[in-house]
Amino acid sequence: MAAAFLAYFTISGMETGKLIIPQRGSETFISSIGHVDGRINLYKTEILTKEIDQPDFGHRPLMDLCMMASKLAYENKTVVRDVVNLHWKMHFVDFYNCWNDYQKERSTQVFILCDKPKDANLILISFRGTEPFDADDWITDFDYSWYEIPKLGKVHMGFLEALGLGNRGNTSTFHEQLFVKNAKYTNSENVDPNSGSDQSSSDSEQSPNKTAYYAVRNKLKSLLKEHENAKFVVTGHSLGGALAILFPTMLVMHEEVKVMQRLLGVYTYGQPRIGNRQLGKFMEAHLEHPVPKYFRVVYCNDLVPRLPYDDKTFLYKHFGICMYYNSLYIEQKVDEEPNRNFFGLRFVLPVYLNAGWEFIRSFTNGYIYGSEYKESWDSVLLRFVGLFVPGISAHSPVDYVNSIRLGRERSIQMSSF
């Protein structure tokens, strides 16, 4: 996994500066996403866990926690633990670096936190998204292959593989994972759920059959039993958002009724499509009653939510409630984001004009909204790239965090303010 390296000089007395290169897995090793948006503080944490029995788009602190956790998932275990424990004053549970049998590497990362170590009210599961310089991640996003599950629908094959639920090289493995109880192929039922390790762990420290779905499901069951009043939230940005909604989909398929009764909500940001219309209708029946529990946030011209294509050939469809933010951070509740397939002559000029406006705005936000909105040079560079490939720069976590914190003219009543 590629990440941006941070190098800096330290001066001791009159000695010459010494170059220090942070070690992978250490508290000073920050991902490329972390350099693009270095913010770690939460939005109004004092009301975070109040009035969350009925999640909606109006509970901005909860939305912000989910987005910040989605961004934090790009970091290594040490950084995640320090931010959760020291800055957010919450309880870090574990970090999982899980096996993708198709890619033959541990390419799926996820961490879990609780709002407090004892008698927790909230359990949060955050899946890591698409690394900007990881070709495998982008290949997964642009993949159009799917696996058809009877009664459920067609599901994106790459996302199933990322959760550890099969391998297209041996398609019988999907049947083993999806239909055979206590499957052996990638079953983590016998893997210690507390054995999560960071990316620097050696192969001997982690079982090669440890996959995200089973590891997280086992730990979640344990936490729900330990914290009797707790509910859980699943979140993720980009690829992480796809895994975030696919995780409860598999819980429903495997008839984990008691676990699903404790689901508070699923919040995704810049999430690609995961399946066809049949899948959407199946999950809406489980996530919209008695109250909506699945909320999908899309910023402006972000390319990733427009993938895979929703057309007569590919038939991928979004489902759930969508909150769309334009480049002025004005929000609107919609069924589908505009320009749903990211092509069409009438959208070309507006897309490039938006990219130019976003590049100019990157120099002014800090003066208008305060120092926490000042963009890093890495973010400005990404905006510059966006002048040529607008859909990529619009995928940045910077705009998703800003949308939640600065969003205005809400189309629904806010429940917390």
Side-chain angles (χ1 to χ4, degrees):
M1 181 189 305
F5 286 87
L6 175 64
Y8 57 93
F9 289 91
T10 57
I11 306 295
S12 176
M14 299 298 294
E15 296 179 358
T16 305
K18 180 180 178 182
L19 178 65
I20 298 176
I21 299 179
Q23 296 298 310
R24 183 179 291 273
S26 71
E27 68 276 6
T28 56
F29 187 91
I30 306 300
S31 73
S32 54
I33 292 294
H35 285 292
V36 169
D37 189 344
R39 290 174 289 188
I40 58 175
N41 292 327
L42 299 177
Y43 178 88
K44 295 192 175 182
T45 55
E46 68 274 9
I47 58 173
L48 177 61
T49 56
K50 295 180 180 179
E51 302 177 9
I52 61 173
D53 289 336
Q54 184 173 327
D56 57 26
F57 274 117
H59 201 295
R60 202 176 299 210
L62 180 57
M63 290 175 64
D64 183 72
L65 170 64
C66 288
M67 181 57 222
M68 294 299 287
S70 299
K71 187 167 72 76
L72 185 60
Y74 289 95
E75 308 302 335
N76 64 64
K77 178 180 179 179
T78 305
V79 173
V80 172
R81 181 191 61 211
D82 287 351
V83 170
V84 171
N85 290 342
L86 302 180
H87 292 273
W88 297 357
K89 305 301 181 184
M90 296 184 182
H91 175 60
F92 171 77
V93 176
D94 217 334
F95 181 100
Y96 299 92
N97 199 32
C98 298
W99 184 253
N100 181 322
D101 197 58
Y102 178 68
Q103 295 180 355
K104 301 300 181 184
E105 63 178 345
R106 299 188 186 97
S107 57
T108 302
Q109 285 76 41
V110 53
F111 76 88
I112 304 176
L113 66 81
C114 294
D115 62 332
K116 50 188 175 181
K118 293 184 178 181
D119 299 322
N121 295 310
L122 181 67
I123 300 167
L124 185 145
I125 301 167
S126 179
F127 287 91
R128 188 206 63 144
T130 306
E131 281 281 357
F133 305 108
D134 192 318
D136 286 335
D137 284 354
W138 284 103
I139 288 172
T140 300
D141 284 340
F142 279 90
D143 189 3
Y144 286 82
S145 304
W146 57 23
Y147 184 85
E148 187 166 5
I149 303 173
K151 298 182 180 180
L152 185 68
K154 294 180 179 179
V155 184
H156 190 288
M157 190 176 290
F159 300 151
L160 285 174
E161 290 169 331
L163 273 184
L165 293 173
N167 178 353
R168 73 186 69 191
N170 180 5
T171 54
S172 65
T173 58
F174 289 105
H175 185 273
E176 293 175 13
Q177 297 306 302
L178 296 171
F179 304 107
V180 180
K181 198 166 186 178
N182 297 323
K184 295 180 179 179
Y185 180 69
T186 52
N187 184 4
S188 291
E189 302 292 348
N190 296 321
V191 177
D192 180 4
N194 294 311
S195 62
S197 61
D198 59 35
Q199 298 168 18
S200 63
S201 300
S202 66
D203 291 343
S204 62
E205 292 176 313
Q206 201 169 139
S207 172
N209 69 347
K210 180 178 180 181
T211 58
Y213 173 71
Y214 290 107
V216 174
R217 188 184 73 175
N218 291 349
K219 189 59 180 180
L220 176 60
K221 286 183 176 180
S222 174
L223 289 170
L224 291 174
K225 186 178 296 184
E226 178 183 352
H227 305 284
E228 296 181 355
N229 297 318
K231 293 187 177 182
F232 72 99
V233 172
V234 193
T235 191
H237 168 259
S238 190
L239 169 61
L243 301 184
I245 183 56
L246 189 55
F247 178 72
T249 300
M250 292 299 103
L251 291 177
V252 170
M253 181 179 172
H254 290 155
E255 299 180 345
E256 296 285 353
V257 178
K258 291 184 178 179
V259 176
M260 286 298 295
Q261 288 174 347
R262 306 278 291 276
L263 174 65
L264 178 64
V266 180
Y267 288 83
T268 70
Y269 305 85
Q271 170 217 313
R273 300 179 177 101
I274 69 165
N276 66 353
R277 187 182 300 278
Q278 182 183 354
L279 174 70
K281 290 182 177 179
F282 177 87
M283 285 308 297
E284 284 174 348
H286 293 86
L287 294 175
E288 289 193 354
H289 304 286
V291 294
K293 293 183 179 180
Y294 172 36
F295 308 99
R296 187 171 60 86
V297 181
V298 176
Y299 170 74
C300 199
N301 294 316
D302 186 350
L303 171 63
V304 176
R306 278 89 175 179
L307 298 173
Y309 289 145
D310 171 6
D311 57 22
K312 295 180 181 179
T313 301
F314 298 107
L315 302 176
Y316 279 90
K317 298 289 182 182
H318 273 307
F319 61 96
I321 298 174
C322 175
M323 183 63 79
Y324 173 77
Y325 290 87
N326 67 16
S327 62
L328 297 175
Y329 302 134
I330 296 175
E331 57 197 12
Q332 182 182 2
K333 183 179 176 181
V334 297
D335 294 327
E336 181 70 79
E337 57 272 10
N339 189 15
R340 71 177 191 271
N341 286 321
F342 207 78
F343 63 81
L345 292 178
R346 69 189 182 95
F347 291 106
V348 172
L349 182 60
V351 163
Y352 281 94
L353 288 176
N354 258 319
W357 151 244
E358 289 166 348
F359 179 71
I360 296 172
R361 184 184 61 189
S362 66
F363 296 98
T364 63
N365 269 353
Y367 298 101
I368 297 173
Y369 300 111
S371 58
E372 70 172 295
Y373 295 96
K374 181 179 180 180
E375 296 194 21
S376 67
W377 286 111
D378 298 85
S379 180
V380 173
L381 178 61
L382 183 60
R383 302 282 194 193
F384 179 76
V385 173
L387 297 176
F388 306 95
V389 192
I392 300 298
S393 60
H395 191 54
S396 168
V398 171
D399 284 315
Y400 280 95
V401 175
N402 289 353
S403 293
I404 294 166
R405 298 183 178 186
L406 301 175
R408 56 193 184 276
E409 295 185 10
R410 304 185 72 85
S411 58
I412 57 176
Q413 185 177 359
M414 297 178 64
S415 64
S416 301
F417 301 93

